DNA sequence: GGAGTTAATGTTATAACGTAACATACGTGG
DNA sequence: CCACGTATGTTACGTTATAACATTAACTCC
């Protein structure tokens, strides 16, 4: 959170009230959280924020790498490595709903290699592996 | 298309009329196509098919590997390698909207390696690389 | 400080994507 | 024919996301 402020001031970006509240909401959820759940959280206390406001805040936060979007879940999650430029790769546990950002260097290298074979110029890498995390696979968790 | 029939009969699955029409619709689009666009296509000629019918057909086709879903686009695309068991990795061009299924063996290997470090048991791999295809990157296509 | 400018938010409405629940039809084998 | 499992029809709703335009807040330059 302090990190977020630091990043924003460093870049001359404004971490306004609503953006801060959305970011807090994202971090306060242990699992990835949907935009409308964020919205509900914000409106629980006070008033009547519209979906647009949340989506705009999320766009801002994503631009600055403070939040990632999980395409396969339509959900958002905070990024702990926000000041480094990096592509996010996620391990998503279907049992405990956790989403862990993994070190994607090796994978990115493999992807790059395959891409050059195709002459493809990458801009956005969406890599989301769903399965069972180490903790849950020790439990009695069967396939759905 | 003949392949699809072959696969289905081999497995005792019924490639019914609506499923066949959805599959045809998917293949007749050069780019990934949304469920509601499929629906519109089907209803253009004749009648009044409901969204449910399309989604059910798509579920069937995905179960049998005839179609893949692109999570980042909320869209569907036909699979040319339907009878082999494989995880699909896609290269999605933002200019021409093409989505090419790439050989994911090397990438899968890299992913597996990283996963074991985390003790994570994978079940579904979603890998979608967005960027510019070889053809479009030769053109005058700038960043959006 | 006030006019001009840009950035951010408010507001309303609607588009786009997806599913629950229950009724009906259809095929297949006894 | 009849019972069973599978597929489809139908209605209604839930969820996710954006368009378009009005308003307010901040910043800048003189
Ligand atoms: Zn990150
Ligand atoms: Zn878990
Ligand atoms: Zn495929
Ligand atoms: Zn292209």
């Amino acid at each position: 959170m302090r990190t977020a402020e630091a990043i924003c001031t460093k870049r001359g970006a404004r971490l306004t009230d609503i953006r801060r509240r959305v970011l807090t909401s994202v971090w306060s959820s242990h699992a990835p959280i949907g935009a409308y759940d964020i919205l509900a959280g914000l409106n629980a206390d006070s008033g009547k924020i519209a979906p647009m406001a949340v989506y705009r805040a999320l766009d801002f936060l994503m631009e600055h790498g403070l939040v990632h979007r999980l395409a396969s879940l339509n959900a958002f999650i905070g990024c702990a490595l926000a000041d480094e430029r990096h592509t996010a790769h996620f391990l998503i546990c279907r049992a405990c709903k956790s989403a862990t950002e993994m070190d994607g260097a090796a994978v990115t290298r493999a992807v790059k290699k395959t891409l050059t074979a195709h002459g493809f110029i990458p801009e956005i890498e969406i890599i989301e592996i769903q399965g069972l995390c180490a903790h849950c696979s020790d439990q009695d968790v069967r396939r759905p």
Side-chain angles (χ1 to χ4, degrees), chain A:
Chain A
M1 199 64 226
R2 299 277 161 254
T3 322
E5 297 193 16
I7 291 171
C8 287
T9 48
K10 187 169 71 180
R11 301 187 195 172
R14 292 165 51 197
L15 188 58
T16 59
D17 178 60
I18 193 165
R19 289 167 179 172
R20 185 189 314 268
R21 288 168 70 195
V22 168
L23 183 55
T24 304
S25 181
V26 167
W27 275 110
S28 67
S29 167
H30 67 293
I33 184 174
Y36 276 76
D37 291 333
I38 295 171
L39 181 63
L42 298 193
N43 281 340
D45 323 318
S46 49
K48 39 174 193 343
I49 294 175
M52 269 310 306
V54 173
Y55 280 104
R56 284 196 281 229
L58 286 170
D59 285 345
F60 171 89
L61 295 170
M62 283 191 291
E63 260 175 40
H64 292 281
L66 297 167
V67 160
H68 296 292
R69 176 177 147 79
L70 295 169
S72 64
L73 302 179
N74 295 328
F76 303 84
I77 191 169
C79 174
L81 312 164
D83 39 1
E84 313 170 24
R85 271 265 166 272
H86 67 288
T87 44
H89 301 173
F90 285 95
L91 306 183
I92 302 168
C93 178
R94 68 169 159 82
C96 66
K97 312 301 181 194
S98 68
T100 308
E101 195 166 346
M102 72 178 193
D103 174 15
V107 174
T108 296
R109 233 174 296 126
V111 169
K112 283 241 164 62
K113 214 158 159 186
T114 311
L115 291 183
T116 36
H118 288 78
F120 191 95
I121 300 175
E123 292 170 352
I124 301 171
E125 286 181 18
I126 295 167
I127 300 187
E128 300 174 15
I129 314 298
Q130 301 184 352
L132 285 180
C133 75
H135 179 257
C136 291
S137 58
D138 287 341
Q139 316 283 327
D140 183 25
V141 181
R142 310 180 189 290
R143 291 182 180 269

Short mmCIF file of all heavy atoms in Angstrom, two decimals, chain A residues 31-71:
data_model
loop_
_atom_site.label_atom_id
_atom_site.label_comp_id
_atom_site.label_asym_id
_atom_site.label_seq_id
_atom_site.Cartn_x
_atom_site.Cartn_y
_atom_site.Cartn_z
N ALA A 31 -8.49 -14.25 -2.06
CA ALA A 31 -8.62 -14.83 -3.39
C ALA A 31 -8.85 -13.71 -4.41
O ALA A 31 -9.17 -12.59 -4.04
CB ALA A 31 -9.77 -15.82 -3.42
N PRO A 32 -8.69 -14.03 -5.70
CA PRO A 32 -9.05 -13.05 -6.73
C PRO A 32 -10.49 -12.61 -6.53
O PRO A 32 -11.33 -13.41 -6.15
CB PRO A 32 -8.89 -13.85 -8.02
CG PRO A 32 -7.93 -14.93 -7.70
CD PRO A 32 -8.13 -15.25 -6.27
N ILE A 33 -10.74 -11.35 -6.81
CA ILE A 33 -12.06 -10.80 -6.51
C ILE A 33 -12.64 -10.15 -7.75
O ILE A 33 -11.92 -9.52 -8.53
CB ILE A 33 -11.96 -9.79 -5.34
CG1 ILE A 33 -13.33 -9.26 -4.94
CG2 ILE A 33 -11.01 -8.66 -5.69
CD1 ILE A 33 -13.30 -8.38 -3.70
N GLY A 34 -13.93 -10.32 -7.94
CA GLY A 34 -14.60 -9.76 -9.11
C GLY A 34 -14.92 -8.29 -8.93
O GLY A 34 -15.03 -7.79 -7.81
N ALA A 35 -15.08 -7.61 -10.05
CA ALA A 35 -15.32 -6.17 -10.01
C ALA A 35 -16.58 -5.83 -9.22
O ALA A 35 -16.62 -4.86 -8.46
CB ALA A 35 -15.41 -5.61 -11.42
N TYR A 36 -17.59 -6.63 -9.38
CA TYR A 36 -18.85 -6.34 -8.71
C TYR A 36 -18.80 -6.68 -7.23
O TYR A 36 -19.56 -6.12 -6.44
CB TYR A 36 -20.02 -7.04 -9.40
CG TYR A 36 -20.53 -6.25 -10.59
CD1 TYR A 36 -19.84 -6.23 -11.78
CD2 TYR A 36 -21.68 -5.49 -10.50
CE1 TYR A 36 -20.29 -5.49 -12.87
CE2 TYR A 36 -22.15 -4.75 -11.56
CZ TYR A 36 -21.45 -4.75 -12.75
OH TYR A 36 -21.90 -4.00 -13.81
N ASP A 37 -17.89 -7.56 -6.87
CA ASP A 37 -17.69 -7.83 -5.44
C ASP A 37 -16.96 -6.67 -4.80
O ASP A 37 -17.26 -6.27 -3.67
CB ASP A 37 -16.91 -9.13 -5.24
CG ASP A 37 -17.72 -10.35 -5.65
OD1 ASP A 37 -18.96 -10.27 -5.57
OD2 ASP A 37 -17.13 -11.35 -6.05
N ILE A 38 -16.00 -6.13 -5.53
CA ILE A 38 -15.33 -4.92 -5.05
C ILE A 38 -16.37 -3.83 -4.85
O ILE A 38 -16.44 -3.18 -3.81
CB ILE A 38 -14.28 -4.44 -6.07
CG1 ILE A 38 -13.16 -5.47 -6.21
CG2 ILE A 38 -13.72 -3.09 -5.67
CD1 ILE A 38 -12.21 -5.19 -7.35
N LEU A 39 -17.19 -3.67 -5.86
CA LEU A 39 -18.24 -2.66 -5.82
C LEU A 39 -19.13 -2.83 -4.59
O LEU A 39 -19.40 -1.88 -3.85
CB LEU A 39 -19.09 -2.78 -7.08
CG LEU A 39 -20.23 -1.79 -7.25
CD1 LEU A 39 -19.70 -0.38 -7.35
CD2 LEU A 39 -21.05 -2.15 -8.48
N ALA A 40 -19.55 -4.05 -4.36
CA ALA A 40 -20.42 -4.32 -3.21
C ALA A 40 -19.71 -3.96 -1.91
O ALA A 40 -20.32 -3.38 -1.00
CB ALA A 40 -20.82 -5.80 -3.20
N GLY A 41 -18.42 -4.29 -1.85
CA GLY A 41 -17.64 -3.96 -0.66
C GLY A 41 -17.63 -2.47 -0.41
O GLY A 41 -17.87 -2.00 0.71
N LEU A 42 -17.38 -1.70 -1.47
CA LEU A 42 -17.31 -0.25 -1.30
C LEU A 42 -18.67 0.32 -0.91
O LEU A 42 -18.76 1.22 -0.09
CB LEU A 42 -16.84 0.41 -2.60
CG LEU A 42 -15.45 0.03 -3.08
CD1 LEU A 42 -15.00 0.98 -4.17
CD2 LEU A 42 -14.45 0.03 -1.95
N ASN A 43 -19.71 -0.21 -1.51
CA ASN A 43 -21.04 0.35 -1.24
C ASN A 43 -21.65 -0.16 0.06
O ASN A 43 -22.68 0.37 0.50
CB ASN A 43 -21.97 0.05 -2.41
CG ASN A 43 -21.73 0.99 -3.58
OD1 ASN A 43 -21.15 2.05 -3.39
ND2 ASN A 43 -22.15 0.59 -4.76
N ALA A 44 -21.02 -1.17 0.66
CA ALA A 44 -21.54 -1.67 1.92
C ALA A 44 -21.52 -0.57 2.98
O ALA A 44 -22.49 -0.36 3.70
CB ALA A 44 -20.71 -2.86 2.39
N ASP A 45 -20.40 0.10 3.05
CA ASP A 45 -20.27 1.16 4.05
C ASP A 45 -21.14 2.35 3.66
O ASP A 45 -22.18 2.60 4.24
CB ASP A 45 -18.82 1.65 4.14
CG ASP A 45 -17.85 0.51 3.97
OD1 ASP A 45 -18.11 -0.55 4.54
OD2 ASP A 45 -16.85 0.69 3.25
N SER A 46 -20.63 3.04 2.64
CA SER A 46 -21.22 4.33 2.35
C SER A 46 -22.27 4.22 1.27
O SER A 46 -23.33 3.63 1.47
CB SER A 46 -20.12 5.29 1.93
OG SER A 46 -19.29 4.68 0.94
N GLY A 47 -21.97 4.68 0.10
CA GLY A 47 -23.03 5.11 -0.78
C GLY A 47 -23.29 4.29 -2.01
O GLY A 47 -23.55 3.10 -1.95
N LYS A 48 -23.20 4.94 -3.12
CA LYS A 48 -23.74 4.42 -4.35
C LYS A 48 -22.76 4.64 -5.49
O LYS A 48 -23.01 5.40 -6.42
CB LYS A 48 -25.06 5.11 -4.64
CG LYS A 48 -25.04 6.60 -4.28
CD LYS A 48 -26.28 7.35 -4.68
CE LYS A 48 -26.09 8.86 -4.59
NZ LYS A 48 -24.97 9.37 -3.81
N ILE A 49 -21.64 3.94 -5.40
CA ILE A 49 -20.67 4.00 -6.47
C ILE A 49 -21.16 3.15 -7.63
O ILE A 49 -21.77 2.10 -7.43
CB ILE A 49 -19.30 3.49 -5.96
CG1 ILE A 49 -18.76 4.47 -4.90
CG2 ILE A 49 -18.33 3.34 -7.09
CD1 ILE A 49 -17.50 4.00 -4.26
N ALA A 50 -20.89 3.60 -8.84
CA ALA A 50 -21.34 2.87 -10.03
C ALA A 50 -20.24 1.93 -10.52
O ALA A 50 -19.06 2.15 -10.24
CB ALA A 50 -21.71 3.86 -11.13
N PRO A 51 -20.63 0.88 -11.25
CA PRO A 51 -19.65 -0.06 -11.80
C PRO A 51 -18.53 0.65 -12.55
O PRO A 51 -17.36 0.33 -12.38
CB PRO A 51 -20.48 -0.91 -12.75
CG PRO A 51 -21.85 -0.89 -12.19
CD PRO A 51 -22.01 0.45 -11.56
N MET A 52 -18.91 1.64 -13.37
CA MET A 52 -17.89 2.38 -14.14
C MET A 52 -16.73 2.83 -13.29
O MET A 52 -15.57 2.72 -13.70
CB MET A 52 -18.52 3.62 -14.77
CG MET A 52 -19.08 3.45 -16.15
SD MET A 52 -17.98 2.67 -17.30
CE MET A 52 -16.52 3.69 -17.19
N ALA A 53 -17.04 3.36 -12.14
CA ALA A 53 -16.00 3.90 -11.28
C ALA A 53 -15.00 2.82 -10.90
O ALA A 53 -13.79 3.03 -10.93
CB ALA A 53 -16.62 4.52 -10.04
N VAL A 54 -15.52 1.65 -10.57
CA VAL A 54 -14.65 0.54 -10.19
C VAL A 54 -13.81 0.11 -11.38
O VAL A 54 -12.59 -0.07 -11.26
CB VAL A 54 -15.48 -0.64 -9.66
CG1 VAL A 54 -14.59 -1.85 -9.43
CG2 VAL A 54 -16.20 -0.24 -8.38
N TYR A 55 -14.44 -0.06 -12.52
CA TYR A 55 -13.68 -0.49 -13.70
C TYR A 55 -12.61 0.53 -14.07
O TYR A 55 -11.52 0.16 -14.49
CB TYR A 55 -14.62 -0.75 -14.88
CG TYR A 55 -15.30 -2.10 -14.78
CD1 TYR A 55 -16.62 -2.21 -14.39
CD2 TYR A 55 -14.59 -3.26 -15.05
CE1 TYR A 55 -17.23 -3.46 -14.29
CE2 TYR A 55 -15.19 -4.51 -14.95
CZ TYR A 55 -16.52 -4.59 -14.57
OH TYR A 55 -17.11 -5.82 -14.46
N ARG A 56 -12.95 1.79 -13.92
CA ARG A 56 -11.94 2.81 -14.24
C ARG A 56 -10.78 2.75 -13.27
O ARG A 56 -9.61 2.85 -13.67
CB ARG A 56 -12.59 4.19 -14.25
CG ARG A 56 -13.41 4.41 -15.50
CD ARG A 56 -13.74 5.87 -15.73
NE ARG A 56 -14.83 6.32 -14.91
CZ ARG A 56 -15.89 7.00 -15.36
NH1 ARG A 56 -16.00 7.27 -16.66
NH2 ARG A 56 -16.82 7.40 -14.55
N ALA A 57 -11.09 2.55 -12.02
CA ALA A 57 -10.02 2.43 -11.03
C ALA A 57 -9.16 1.20 -11.33
O ALA A 57 -7.93 1.27 -11.28
CB ALA A 57 -10.62 2.34 -9.63
N LEU A 58 -9.81 0.11 -11.67
CA LEU A 58 -9.06 -1.11 -11.98
C LEU A 58 -8.17 -0.90 -13.21
O LEU A 58 -7.03 -1.36 -13.24
CB LEU A 58 -10.03 -2.27 -12.22
CG LEU A 58 -10.68 -2.83 -10.95
CD1 LEU A 58 -11.80 -3.80 -11.31
CD2 LEU A 58 -9.66 -3.51 -10.06
N ASP A 59 -8.69 -0.21 -14.21
CA ASP A 59 -7.87 0.08 -15.39
C ASP A 59 -6.61 0.85 -15.00
O ASP A 59 -5.50 0.52 -15.43
CB ASP A 59 -8.67 0.90 -16.41
CG ASP A 59 -9.69 0.04 -17.15
OD1 ASP A 59 -9.58 -1.20 -17.08
OD2 ASP A 59 -10.60 0.61 -17.77
N PHE A 60 -6.82 1.86 -14.17
CA PHE A 60 -5.68 2.64 -13.70
C PHE A 60 -4.68 1.75 -12.97
O PHE A 60 -3.48 1.78 -13.24
CB PHE A 60 -6.17 3.77 -12.78
CG PHE A 60 -5.07 4.49 -12.06
CD1 PHE A 60 -4.45 5.59 -12.65
CD2 PHE A 60 -4.65 4.07 -10.81
CE1 PHE A 60 -3.42 6.25 -11.99
CE2 PHE A 60 -3.62 4.72 -10.15
CZ PHE A 60 -3.01 5.81 -10.74
N LEU A 61 -5.18 0.97 -12.05
CA LEU A 61 -4.30 0.12 -11.23
C LEU A 61 -3.57 -0.90 -12.10
O LEU A 61 -2.41 -1.22 -11.86
CB LEU A 61 -5.11 -0.58 -10.14
CG LEU A 61 -5.72 0.37 -9.10
CD1 LEU A 61 -6.71 -0.36 -8.20
CD2 LEU A 61 -4.64 1.06 -8.27
N MET A 62 -4.24 -1.39 -13.13
CA MET A 62 -3.58 -2.36 -14.02
C MET A 62 -2.51 -1.67 -14.86
O MET A 62 -1.43 -2.21 -15.05
CB MET A 62 -4.61 -3.04 -14.90
CG MET A 62 -5.39 -4.11 -14.15
SD MET A 62 -6.39 -5.15 -15.22
CE MET A 62 -7.63 -4.02 -15.75
N GLU A 63 -2.83 -0.48 -15.35
CA GLU A 63 -1.84 0.26 -16.12
C GLU A 63 -0.54 0.41 -15.34
O GLU A 63 0.55 0.37 -15.90
CB GLU A 63 -2.35 1.67 -16.42
CG GLU A 63 -2.92 1.86 -17.80
CD GLU A 63 -3.50 3.25 -17.95
OE1 GLU A 63 -2.88 4.20 -17.44
OE2 GLU A 63 -4.60 3.38 -18.53
N HIS A 64 -0.68 0.63 -14.05
CA HIS A 64 0.50 0.86 -13.23
C HIS A 64 1.01 -0.41 -12.57
O HIS A 64 1.84 -0.36 -11.66
CB HIS A 64 0.19 1.94 -12.20
CG HIS A 64 0.00 3.28 -12.83
ND1 HIS A 64 1.05 4.07 -13.23
CD2 HIS A 64 -1.12 3.95 -13.19
CE1 HIS A 64 0.59 5.18 -13.79
NE2 HIS A 64 -0.74 5.13 -13.78
N GLY A 65 0.48 -1.54 -13.00
CA GLY A 65 1.01 -2.83 -12.55
C GLY A 65 0.69 -3.15 -11.10
O GLY A 65 1.29 -4.05 -10.51
N LEU A 66 -0.25 -2.42 -10.52
CA LEU A 66 -0.57 -2.68 -9.11
C LEU A 66 -1.57 -3.83 -8.97
O LEU A 66 -1.71 -4.41 -7.90
CB LEU A 66 -1.17 -1.41 -8.48
CG LEU A 66 -0.19 -0.24 -8.44
CD1 LEU A 66 -0.93 1.05 -8.10
CD2 LEU A 66 0.89 -0.50 -7.42
N VAL A 67 -2.23 -4.12 -10.05
CA VAL A 67 -3.26 -5.16 -10.04
C VAL A 67 -3.17 -5.94 -11.36
O VAL A 67 -2.83 -5.37 -12.39
CB VAL A 67 -4.65 -4.50 -9.90
CG1 VAL A 67 -5.74 -5.42 -10.37
CG2 VAL A 67 -4.91 -4.07 -8.46
N HIS A 68 -3.44 -7.23 -11.29
CA HIS A 68 -3.56 -8.02 -12.50
C HIS A 68 -5.00 -8.50 -12.67
O HIS A 68 -5.72 -8.65 -11.70
CB HIS A 68 -2.66 -9.25 -12.45
CG HIS A 68 -1.20 -8.94 -12.40
ND1 HIS A 68 -0.53 -8.37 -13.44
CD2 HIS A 68 -0.29 -9.12 -11.42
CE1 HIS A 68 0.74 -8.22 -13.11
NE2 HIS A 68 0.92 -8.67 -11.88
N ARG A 69 -5.34 -8.76 -13.91
CA ARG A 69 -6.64 -9.34 -14.20
C ARG A 69 -6.45 -10.80 -14.58
O ARG A 69 -5.56 -11.14 -15.36
CB ARG A 69 -7.28 -8.60 -15.37
CG ARG A 69 -8.58 -9.17 -15.83
CD ARG A 69 -9.20 -8.33 -16.95
NE ARG A 69 -9.93 -9.16 -17.86
CZ ARG A 69 -11.15 -9.63 -17.63
NH1 ARG A 69 -11.74 -9.32 -16.50
NH2 ARG A 69 -11.74 -10.41 -18.49
N LEU A 70 -7.28 -11.66 -14.02
CA LEU A 70 -7.24 -13.07 -14.38
C LEU A 70 -8.35 -13.34 -15.39
O LEU A 70 -9.53 -13.40 -15.03
CB LEU A 70 -7.42 -13.93 -13.13
CG LEU A 70 -6.27 -13.78 -12.13
CD1 LEU A 70 -6.62 -14.45 -10.80
CD2 LEU A 70 -5.00 -14.37 -12.70
N ALA A 71 -7.94 -13.51 -16.62
CA ALA A 71 -8.93 -13.63 -17.70
C ALA A 71 -9.83 -14.83 -17.51
O ALA A 71 -11.01 -14.79 -17.84
CB ALA A 71 -8.21 -13.73 -19.05
#
